[in-house]
Each structure stands twice: as C-alpha cells, then as structure tokens.
Amino acid sequence: MKLTGAEIIWECLIREGVDVVFGYPGGAILPTYDAMTKYPQIHHVLTRHEQGATHMADGYARASGKVGVAIATSGPGATNMVTGIATAMMDSSPIVCITGQVGSRALGTDAFQETDVTGVTLPVTKHNYLVTKTADIARVIREAFYIAKSGRPGPVLVDITKDAQQLTAEFDWEAAAPKLPGYRPNLRALPTEYERALELINSAKRPVILAGQGIKLSGATAQVLELADTARIPIAVTLLGLGVVPASSPFNLGMMGMHGEAWVNQAIQQADLLIALGMRFDDRVTGNLKTYAPHAKKIHVEIDPSEVNKNVHVDVPLIGDLREVLEELLPKVRTSDRGEWWAKIAEMKGDSAVRDIQALPDNGHLYAAHVINDLWRATKDRDTIVVTDVGQHQMWEAQYYRHEKPRSLITSGGLGTMGFALPAAIGAKFACPEKDVWVVVGDGGFQMTSCELATAEQEGIKVNVAIINNAFLGMVRQWQEFFYEKRYAATPMTGPDFVKLAEAYRLNGLRCDKRAEVNSTVKAVLADKRTTVVDFVVEQEDAVFPMVPAGADLDAMIRRPKREILAESGADKEWQMPNGESAAVSELTLTGGPSKAASVPAAKRKPAPSLKKKSAETSKKSSRPVVAKATKAGKRR
Amino acid sequence: MPKHTLIAYVEDVPGVLNRVASLFRRRNFNIDSLTVGRTEQAGVSRLTVVVDATDAGARIVEANLYKLVNVLRVDDLTHKPALNRELGLVKVKVTAATRSQVLEFVDMFRARVVDVDEESLVIEVTGTPEKIGKFEMVLRPYGILELVRTGSVSMARGHDKLSANPPLVRAEVAASAADDHSHAGVSMSV
C-alpha cells in the first residue's frame, strides 16, 4: 500500500499502540499534522511549549509504563525539547520524539528553522535518527519504540525531513521489523555470579536492600518483598524508588541519601552487605564515596553494564532484568531472622527525630511538611498519583507522603528539572484518567511552565496543583543559608497572584495559609471538576531536614533542629518491627545535630533582602526557622 | 596514565563515528588515536581506539561503547598478544651531504622512500607506534618539514577469527575489577 511518509508515521504510531501524542505544529512537521486529520483514533494534545510536550510524554510514560510520544517542528521546536529529553534520559523514561526537519536538499544550508537536531540531542538520547527517505520511516519508528522501551528504557528522537513526509513509499509493517544487530538490551548474568551473590546474602549479618526504580521498570515489587521477607532484610529506597515497595511495609525503612532519614543512612553505613536493586549509586544517595558503606560487600543487580563499578566498587554484579535475576536467586535464599540487626536498626531509629513536624500541634503557621502530610491523609484512600517538581517541596513530599504503590510518585530525580511537574502531571492524567493527579510544585518551578495550565483547560482535564509557595527558590536558599552564610543572592522571588492566574485561565484558584484549612481546601479541590490551583502560602525560611551536605559522609547528617514542643508528642509511634514488636521509640531524643546553621536562633535571622517590608516574626514555642513571615498583603499576594 | 587499545566493530551508517567520538568526549576520556576502516564484512567497519585509561576506566569505556546501538562488538586488546601497526609519512630535509645518512636510516627501519626532491625526501614507514616515534627521533636533527601518522590499527595474533557478531554477551564486562578502585572515588558534583 503506497502512503505518504506522514501517513506512514501515523500508521506506525497506531500499530505501536499509541492513543495520545503531545505536540506543537510548525512548518517542517506540517505534512504530518495535515495527515493527522485522517487518523482520529489518536488524540493530539496541543501544548503551549515543546518542553511541555516532552514532559507530558514523560509523565505519560512514567504513569502508564508505555512509551510516550511528543511531536515538534524543526529548529526551535526541536531544541525546545532538549530539556525534556535530557530529563527522560536521566530517569530512564521511555519516550519517542518525532521532529520535522527541513527538506533533504536544504540540509546543511542553514535553511530557515534548520538545526542539527540529531547532533544536538546525541548526548541526551538513548539513540536518535535522521530520516531522509520515506521508505525508511516505518523501520525507524519501529526501531525507535523498541529501543525506547527495551532494556534500560530511554528517549529516542526521530528527525524526519519534510520531503520524506511528503513523498510516498510502500508501507509494509511486517517488512519494517527492527534491524538492530548491535543492540542487545537484555543481558544475562553468569551462573557463577548467582552463586557468589547467594553466598554473600546467606552469610550476611547486617544486609540492606537498596531499592531503585529499576524495580518498578521490571515489575519486580513482589520479588523484592519476598527477598526481604525470606531473609529479613531491611529496604532503603531511592527517591525514584519511592512506592516500589509500600511505605507501610515493615521492611521499608524509608528513603536513603541526602534528605533520607538518619537511621536509613546509618543502617547503610553499618551494613556488611548492600544489595543494590535497579539503582545506580547516584552521588545524592552515596554522599562521600570514599567513606560510603565501608564495611559492606556490594551486590549490584542492574540491566545496564555501564552502571556497574561506575561510582562504587561492586563485589558481585548481576547483569540482567531485575525480576528474572531475583526469580533465579529467591529459591536458594536462606531464611533468617537477623534479630540483632533489626534490634540495632530499631535503636538507630529511636535516636532520630522522626517525622516530627507531623506531630507538631497547630501553632498558626503553615509548614510545607504540614501541607504534604495533610494532603497525604486526605488523599491516601483514593487512587492518587503525585507529580512533584524539584526543590524543597520535592524532598518534603518524599519524606512525608507515604507512597504505597509503584508509579504513584512521578518526579524528576536525575536531572532535577524545574518546570517538570505541571506538564508531566497532564501527561500522567492522560495515562490514568481514572486516578487523581496532584501536582506538588514550588512557586519557582511552577512559573517555569505554568503556561501549560492553558493546555489543561483546553483539554478539559483535571489536575490538582498544590503550589508550596514560600516566595523563595527554597532549596537554593537553604544551601545559601547553610553553606554561603545566608547571602540570599537571587533567591527571593515574587510571583503572580496564583489564584487570579488560575482564574485567568478559566480554572479554579484557591489560597490556604493555615494548617487547619488544609484538609477542607483539599476537599474543595476534589469537589471541583476543573483543574484547580491551590496557593499554599507556607513558612518562608523553613529548611529540609535532615540533610547530608554534598560530598559529606553519608551518616554525617545535619539533623532536625531541636524542638522542645515535641518532647511530649512522642512522634511516630506507628512504626513496628517486622516481627510485630513495637520499636523502642518512646524515649525519643530530639537533640539538635552538628549543624551550626540549624541551631542559629531564629530571632537572629535576617529577612530576605528584597522582602524588607515584612516584619520578622518568631515563634517562642519553636526554634524552627520562622522569619520574614508575610504579615501584610504585600508583594506576595 | 596507561594506554588501552580497544577495537570496536560498528555498523557502517552515517554518524556512527560521531557517536563514538562523542561518547569519549562526554565521559572525558582522552583519545590518543582513533582509526576507522572497512572489514571483510560488508556494512561493518572496525575502529581501533587508543585511549588514556586505567583498567577500570577502560572497562567503563567498553561498557559505554556497548550501549551505542550501532556498536556490534568491543574488545580490549591491551593485555592480549596483539599486533599494533601504524603508518607514518615523513618529509625530511636533505642535502647532498646528508642524503646518504638519511637513506641509511630508511634502510635500518625498513622504510621506503616514496618521493624525492632536490632538498627533501618523503619516507613511508610502518610499524608499531614506538618504532615510528623512534624513526621520527633519528630524523629530527636533519629537519622534519612535515610528518603525519595514521594512528594505530590492531589485531589479535593467532588463528581465531574475531566475529563482528559474537554469540557471547559481555555481561561480565564490568565484573572482576577486583582491586582496581581507580575509577571509583571520582569527585562529587554538587
């Protein structure tokens, strides 16, 4: 059957199971958009920026496990995609980007809207293609989907010249099967390595499982829980691993790394065996590599051989699909109770100031952690996906929202892309229209891509946006506070009236600045059919605790500041050891950590430079950083 | 920094050399030399890359090369019996008095004179990169006008044929780094 290149593109997408694409038209992709009118079975979402299209495709992929598709024109359309492609690359997210290119005869002439897009995206794609012949389109698109979703997933870009879209060729789906002799995505571990791994697991006294998002990507949650249960091994999770094992599992200690809980990092540092599952020892989870888990042998289960021994020396690499590897191992893992190790962990847990903000009574101030915790309580019985942006709110979400299911948290981990959340949430909503999708976003990141509110409005979909608004680039400000003597260079930030902004887009806008109102606000959001933006006005100079300063030893954490008010609260009694005994958390000590910054009395803190109008107000009950609270309806509103 | 000789079979498609070179650039490995040429198989090219790297670093390079979709096979010949050959062309100044001395060196190095001029000779020399370096050294006093080297090409000794499509899967690529921690402990980004 003879078809134009543009028609072949759509025929291929339909056969790949695509039902929605995110894109933005332009001259060099116009033949494809023109042909789109013949294929109503694929829904096209017009975004407001090509970056938004890639984040939407990414959010769609992360929520559904399918390949997300983004379309753009040549030149600026394609270069606008780069941030979204790099985000997908760092987090192993399968997306296919299709871009138009100038006509093949104009290639290399610096024609209007010409950019060497394959050159530009080479380092941030798993693979990319420049297609100049109509006859190649079908095979290339099939290969692109296969590469994107197999092995370690990742983004693939297909750049197609305008004439290749316009001319016709024979379309034969079967004949266009991928021809990739050099691509071997599913490598297998050697049998000898299984034996070495089993020896280490069965003889370890203080093992810890490090759970990454590879567990989600290979669907190995049940196998990981079985391993933990059989061998009584505690699980520490990475940021992208949140949800791959339920937060409520007694084996799940919580998040590791820079903003993980202290006992999780202590457990890793004291472990004699780390079983790393689908994670890559990012510098945000290891701290100082020279002192990282010094007593531990390391088993690394990983599908990408180039990740093994990249950052951390590994004793036993198990290369392959995580689920297959675990299924091979599990029958031979010995049961054990490891009572001493669990007692030690309970002791370390007792030493830490646990989830203390949750236990704080309402003192009239709204803390971001309140918002997250109350949001969790209000939404935990609903099928909810939370999409976060990057910064303090992202870490608070990771700490205080308890994810029970894989794919219930979508966040930009590796690249740390501000502006990711809103478009990714729109993509996630298209993947899972039956679920509630919440965006947790800072006032800074929200302003980077808030134009996509118009996309939500035009599509008539509902995403719920919780802006954690502290009128600061909060995480950068926190670093300035801790490591740059509070010189708040370029971090105080004004924004629009977010309620009015939402209304300007014909959407619903709400504001909340009291803890007592969080719950009712969430209810009001859920009751409205439209996309709703809530401006949660929170404490400006609150910091994320605990924290491992970049490059410090993993257990050298800046602890939460002393908060006398917690003495009687006995925070977090919910945690139990896997044997059902209650862990010894009654003697909760809440001593301040080694940080000088954290113990600076609040009264000494200066208001932010550009916020001078606002009076410094401190709470005597708490030494929490409570400064520059906006008491007047100033610029912030 | 020790040198490693890696060979890679790659598909002969546009942009593949760029992908390989870009990988080295991105990972901050310094390429000492890189040569590409055809092989006995249609559509398959062979690269020889000499790179400054420790054993652990070379293993990372190897694993990263394997990630490139167009790369069919990678082998590290550094610690194997292998032939390394390079071609050099040297244009050297001569006078009536020095010509015979230069020709003596040409003879010693089993090189060949490929162009003769009143005041210069162009000499072709092949051999290990070390031999060509030596040849350059002995001619330098006469005045080297131009010198060009191709970079190394390498092949394992012995009868076995290295197939571009090996049945083996190099899952052990990154394994057995044993006591080589040289790549671990890189400085952290903040």
Side-chain angles (χ1 to χ4, degrees):
Chain A
M1 170 174 46
K2 280 241 178 209
L3 294 177
T4 67
E7 289 164 342
I8 290 172
I9 292 171
W10 294 106
E11 294 282 349
C12 289
L13 294 181
I14 288 165
R15 282 168 181 73
E16 292 290 351
V18 175
D19 50 14
V20 58
V21 297
F22 307 92
Y24 205 105
I29 194 74
L30 255 181
T32 298
Y33 271 86
D34 187 50
M36 183 174 81
T37 52
K38 295 180 207 158
Y39 298 92
Q41 57 270 61
I42 294 188
H43 178 65
H44 178 270
V45 177
L46 175 63
T47 66
R48 293 302 178 271
H49 191 287
E50 290 87 350
Q51 182 190 353
T54 48
H55 289 326
M56 284 179 210
D58 190 347
Y60 176 90
R62 295 191 204 211
S64 66
K66 299 199 296 188
V67 178
V69 179
I71 299 179
T73 191
S74 65
T79 56
N80 275 346
M81 292 178 127
V82 172
T83 303
I85 294 170
T87 305
M89 184 70 177
M90 288 289 270
D91 288 348
S92 307
S93 193
I95 65 172
V96 169
C97 296
I98 296 172
T99 51
Q101 180 57 278
V102 299
S104 57
R105 268 191 253 171
L107 273 176
T109 65
D110 301 320
F112 177 66
Q113 292 195 331
E114 183 192 359
T115 303
D116 170 15
V117 175
T118 36
V120 168
T121 59
L122 189 65
V124 291
T125 46
K126 187 173 172 186
H127 194 56
N128 64 18
Y129 292 89
L130 168 62
V131 185
T132 56
K133 293 190 181 69
T134 310
D136 291 339
I137 291 177
R139 176 184 53 83
V140 166
I141 290 184
R142 282 192 75 168
E143 288 183 359
F145 273 80
Y146 176 58
I147 292 169
K149 67 191 174 195
S150 56
R152 179 180 182 174
V156 181
L157 180 133
V158 183
D159 195 32
I160 308 175
T161 58
K162 191 170 184 180
D163 52 326
Q165 298 168 49
Q166 286 165 324
L167 297 173
T168 58
E170 196 63 32
F171 173 64
D172 183 346
W173 174 252
E174 295 307 323
K179 292 182 184 67
L180 297 163
Y183 181 62
R184 297 180 202 91
N186 294 307
L187 306 182
R188 299 291 299 270
L190 303 174
T192 49
E193 289 164 347
Y194 285 111
E195 287 163 28
R196 288 163 67 208
L198 278 163
E199 254 173 55
L200 288 180
I201 294 171
N202 289 334
S203 63
K205 292 199 161 53
R206 301 185 306 280
V208 177
I209 290 171
L210 309 180
Q213 78 155 348
I215 296 167
K216 170 184 88 183
L217 296 175
S218 86
T221 294
Q223 287 75 8
V224 174
L225 288 173
E226 192 186 334
L227 173 65
D229 195 22
T230 306
R232 318 291 280 181
I233 304 176
I235 303 171
V237 295
T238 66
L239 174 66
L240 289 182
L242 287 170
V244 298
V245 287
S248 60
S249 162
F251 295 101
N252 187 350
L253 299 184
M255 187 171 71
M256 65 178 104
M258 180 174 274
H259 292 295
E261 291 299 334
W263 73 81
V264 183
N265 289 343
Q266 282 172 328
I268 290 168
Q269 289 301 81
Q270 295 185 18
D272 65 353
L273 175 66
L274 296 182
I275 306 165
L277 305 179
M279 56 84 74
R280 58 190 181 91
F281 294 105
D282 182 82
D283 57 71
R284 287 294 189 264
V285 306
T286 61
N288 183 358
L289 283 168
K290 290 206 168 79
T291 58
Y292 179 66
H295 318 293
K297 298 271 186 191
K298 284 142 195 129
I299 298 171
H300 195 176
V301 187
E302 172 59 56
I303 200 159
D304 179 353
S306 76
E307 288 295 346
V308 176
N309 280 331
K310 186 177 83 174
N311 298 327
V312 168
H313 169 68
V314 171
D315 299 277
V316 182
L318 290 168
I319 308 286
D321 177 77
L322 187 59
R323 192 165 58 178
E324 289 171 21
V325 169
L326 289 181
E327 277 169 357
E328 187 81 23
L329 279 178
L330 276 169
K332 293 170 200 148
V333 172
R334 269 207 291 278
T335 54
S336 167
D337 72 344
R338 301 189 211 276
E340 268 182 52
W341 180 221
W342 279 100
K344 181 81 188 156
I345 286 170
E347 189 187 313
M348 291 188 288
K349 184 147 187 161
D351 269 349
S352 303
V354 184
R355 299 193 183 281
D356 47 6
I357 293 171
Q358 293 171 19
L360 268 182
D362 189 357
N363 62 1
H365 303 287
L366 185 61
Y367 292 96
H370 285 154
V371 177
I372 305 294
N373 191 48
D374 291 359
L375 179 64
W376 166 67
R377 285 184 196 283
T379 59
K380 63 180 175 173
D381 296 326
R382 303 169 66 97
D383 211 349
T384 301
I385 296 174
V386 181
V387 186
T388 80
D389 214 70
V390 172
Q392 283 186 318
H393 69 274
Q394 180 189 30
M395 292 299 118
W396 280 314
E397 202 281 346
Q399 291 176 334
Y400 295 101
Y401 201 101
R402 301 182 181 192
H403 290 277
E404 292 292 315
K405 289 185 197 162
R407 302 189 189 279
S408 66
L409 169 63
I410 292 173
T411 189
S412 169
L415 196 67
T417 309
M418 283 176 71
F420 171 79
L422 176 63
I426 292 171
K429 186 69 181 179
F430 276 99
C432 305
E434 74 291 353
K435 294 186 184 177
D436 290 346
V437 176
W438 279 86
V439 179
V440 174
V441 61
D443 50 308
F446 183 68
Q447 288 184 64
M448 284 193 175
T449 52
S450 60
C451 56
E452 301 300 344
L453 285 176
T455 307
E457 196 275 336
Q458 184 170 358
E459 291 293 328
I461 59 158
K462 177 173 173 58
V463 293
N464 310 309
V465 183
I467 302 175
I468 308 297
N469 182 358
N470 59 5
F472 264 120
L473 296 177
M475 189 60 96
V476 186
R477 185 207 56 73
Q478 177 171 336
W479 283 50
Q480 289 170 332
E481 180 185 329
F482 287 10
F483 312 118
Y484 297 86
E485 296 170 336
K486 292 210 240 174
R487 290 185 295 275
Y488 291 167
T491 46
M493 176 180 242
T494 62
D497 181 325
F498 290 116
V499 175
K500 283 188 181 161
L501 182 76
E503 287 165 359
Y505 283 111
R506 295 179 288 278
L507 299 169
N508 188 21
L510 300 169
R511 178 168 291 116
C512 175
D513 58 5
K514 292 186 186 61
R515 184 173 189 188
E517 291 167 5
V518 173
N519 200 31
S520 58
T521 305
V522 171
K523 287 213 170 91
V525 171
L526 292 173
D528 201 294
K529 286 200 176 76
R530 293 167 295 173
T531 284
T532 301
V533 178
V534 188
D535 182 17
F536 285 106
V537 182
V538 299
E539 287 297 335
Q540 285 191 271
E541 287 193 272
D542 199 4
V544 182
F545 293 109
M547 177 182 189
V548 183
D553 299 350
L554 188 58
D555 50 357
M557 301 196 83
I558 302 173
R559 300 286 189 92
R560 292 194 172 86
K562 191 175 177 181
R563 285 161 190 166
E564 299 85 345
I565 199 160
L566 283 171
E568 67 262 27
S569 73
D572 200 349
K573 283 182 177 157
E574 293 164 36
W575 189 72
Q576 289 191 324
M577 287 171 62
N579 58 8
E581 285 172 26
S582 196
V585 293
S586 56
E587 289 176 30
L588 194 64
T589 52
L590 292 163
T591 50
S595 157
K596 283 180 189 166
S599 59
V600 171
K604 285 191 182 170
R605 299 193 179 197
K606 288 178 203 153
S610 71
L611 300 169
K612 279 174 192 158
K613 280 185 198 164
K614 291 159 190 170
S615 64
E617 176 192 311
T618 59
S619 162
K620 286 185 182 172
K621 284 187 177 177
S622 161
S623 61
R624 192 190 300 282
V626 184
V627 185
K629 166 78 175 162
T631 49
K632 294 171 195 167
K635 272 204 260 178
R636 284 188 71 183
R637 304 297 154 84
Chain B
M1 185 81 65
K3 293 201 190 307
H4 273 259
T5 304
L6 298 170
I7 60 152
Y9 282 100
V10 298
E11 286 179 75
D12 185 12
V13 293
V16 66
L17 189 59
N18 187 11
R19 288 176 199 280
V20 172
S22 176
L23 184 151
F24 284 88
R25 174 190 52 72
R26 181 153 64 100
R27 308 275 174 188
N28 205 23
F29 284 104
N30 187 38
I31 299 176
D32 204 63
S33 82
L34 193 162
T35 59
V36 203
R38 293 202 178 140
T39 65
E40 77 284 3
Q41 282 176 274
V44 177
S45 298
R46 177 158 152 159
L47 296 165
T48 305
V49 192
V50 181
V51 60
D52 296 333
T54 60
D55 282 357
R59 235 168 258 120
I60 298 282
V61 173
E62 204 179 332
N64 276 298
L65 278 171
Y66 261 115
K67 279 175 78 166
L68 297 179
V69 167
N70 303 126
V71 171
L72 304 168
R73 171 165 194 162
V74 187
D75 261 277
D76 188 342
L77 293 186
T78 310
H79 301 300
K80 293 177 187 165
L83 300 161
N84 298 305
R85 290 292 180 270
E86 188 171 359
L87 166 71
L89 290 175
V90 193
K91 188 178 285 176
V92 61
K93 260 199 263 186
V94 287
T95 62
T98 61
R99 182 176 283 118
S100 61
Q101 295 168 14
V102 169
L103 288 174
E104 226 171 281
F105 283 121
V106 168
D107 211 29
M108 277 183 227
F109 279 81
R110 280 178 231 151
R112 282 204 307 161
V113 175
V114 289
D115 186 56
V116 182
D117 191 86
E118 276 174 27
E119 292 169 7
S120 68
L121 297 173
V122 178
I123 303 159
E124 172 191 305
V125 58
T126 61
T128 62
E130 293 74 28
K131 176 183 164 186
I132 293 171
K134 255 311 187 357
F135 190 59
E136 179 192 346
M137 191 192 77
V138 301
L139 292 190
R140 194 168 284 282
Y142 301 96
I144 292 177
L145 297 168
E146 251 185 272
L147 177 131
V148 59
R149 301 170 61 159
T150 57
S152 217
V153 291
S154 300
M155 187 178 280
R157 289 179 182 271
H159 175 264
D160 291 344
K161 175 184 152 59
L162 207 57
S163 162
N165 285 298
L168 81 157
V169 167
R170 296 286 304 238
E172 78 279 24
V173 154
S176 68
D179 298 316
D180 191 351
H181 291 255
S182 44
H183 198 78
V186 288
S187 60
M188 305 218 345
S189 61
V190 290

